[in-house]
Amino acid sequence: PVYYEENHIDNLLRSCSEYFDRTGRSYELILVDDGSTDASAEKIRGCLSEKIRMVTLNKNTGKGAAVRAGILAARGESVFFTDSDLAYGLEVLPGMTALLEEGADLVLGSRALAEDGYGDYPLLRRVASYLFSWITTAFSGVTCDSQCGIKGFRRESALKLFENLHTEGYAFDLEVILLAEKEGMRLAEYPVTIINQGDSRINVLTSSVSMLRDMVCIRRRVRKMTERSGLCR
């Protein structure tokens, strides 16, 4: 997902292209412009190729909507999303891909499993992350690091989950995990560490309120889906 990243597009594409070209594996990069009004879309268009693609949302809709658009446009057998600042690096991808190839339907990056997963994350954002994780567990029973910004999927699992995704904001990860659990999918976790904080535009207070509201809606929606499924059986 890309939102007002005109100053970082060149570095993002260079880092990704250099890394993936070294691996020798086929790949595609999909950048989803989430209604930016700066030069982000223009800069991406200037770099498009068979391996670099762009999806454009006409207005700023939210991270969940942007990730959903990118996932549904993907053509690979293994599909990953991560933040445009490459906060967790790219070196974790082989290990996460291996878990998919061993049978996991989705692999969740986990800062909690790494020795120093949060690195030198600012105290306020670290506390906010811990607090949201605690609330998430209390509300939904999900104990993994649901908000970690890198996740991978087998293609068929990705399509099934994101075709049914409703949450357009930051809490979309939680809905993905709950949908996966409802479908009986196999989840795996992989330790990751924040190595690049980027320039966060997240307002901790307003974003937390929005995420909590979305969380309530997600739990209600997934519960109704489960009840309907039970009636059908």
Side-chain angles (χ1 to χ4, degrees):
V2 172
Y3 186 58
Y4 285 92
E5 296 289 348
E6 62 178 356
N7 294 326
H8 305 291
I9 296 298
D10 291 338
N11 182 62
L12 168 64
L13 294 178
R14 181 174 58 254
S15 297
C16 288
S17 297
E18 289 178 354
Y19 173 81
F20 287 114
D21 286 341
R22 287 198 307 270
T23 68
R25 300 186 65 161
S26 60
Y27 70 92
E28 64 178 357
L29 304 176
I30 301 176
L31 284 74
V32 183
D33 177 41
D34 188 17
S36 304
T37 57
D38 64 353
S40 293
E42 181 181 348
K43 297 197 74 170
I44 296 171
R45 288 192 190 96
C47 300
L48 297 180
S49 66
E50 291 184 359
K51 295 181 177 180
I52 300 175
R53 302 168 55 204
M54 180 173 73
V55 175
T56 302
L57 302 184
N58 293 327
K59 64 178 182 178
N60 179 236
T61 309
K63 185 178 180 180
V67 171
R68 181 179 187 272
I71 292 286
L72 296 181
R75 300 172 296 195
E77 290 305 314
S78 298
V79 184
F80 287 82
F81 72 78
T82 191
D83 299 328
S84 58
D85 60 2
L86 303 179
Y88 305 93
L90 298 170
E91 290 74 15
V92 298
L93 292 179
M96 296 179 75
T97 301
L99 291 176
L100 294 175
E101 293 173 344
E102 291 169 6
D105 291 294
L106 61 159
V107 179
L108 316 175
S110 174
R111 295 162 293 188
L113 292 182
E115 183 175 347
D116 188 21
Y118 287 88
D120 57 353
Y121 217 38
L123 179 60
L124 178 60
R125 293 190 64 190
R126 187 184 293 233
V127 170
S129 181
Y130 287 149
L131 179 60
F132 187 79
S133 294
W134 180 81
I135 294 174
T136 298
T137 300
F139 262 74
S140 66
V142 170
T143 58
C144 58
D145 185 6
S146 64
Q147 295 309 117
C148 182
I150 184 167
K151 294 179 175 66
F153 308 79
R154 294 170 58 198
R155 175 178 172 78
E156 59 269 29
S157 301
L159 294 179
K160 188 169 188 177
L161 293 171
F162 282 87
E163 284 173 351
N164 291 295
L165 183 75
H166 289 80
T167 306
E168 297 184 332
Y170 288 111
F172 78 96
D173 304 76
L174 177 61
E175 184 175 2
V176 168
I177 294 169
L178 289 176
L179 287 173
E181 291 180 343
K182 185 187 80 67
E183 294 293 337
M185 293 184 179
R186 180 183 171 190
L187 282 69
E189 295 182 84
Y190 190 87
V192 300
T193 299
I194 295 174
I195 60 174
N196 179 16
Q197 296 176 28
D199 300 319
S200 176
R201 298 179 180 85
I202 298 176
N203 182 298
V204 174
L205 179 59
T206 58
S207 295
S208 296
V209 172
S210 175
M211 290 170 73
L212 288 173
R213 182 186 64 243
D214 285 344
M215 189 188 306
V216 173
C217 294
I218 290 167
R219 187 177 67 166
R220 184 182 302 126
R221 185 160 53 245
V222 173
R223 179 180 296 169
K224 287 182 178 179
M225 291 173 64
T226 302
E227 290 173 351
R228 287 198 297 269
S229 177
L231 289 174
C232 289
R233 288 197 299 272

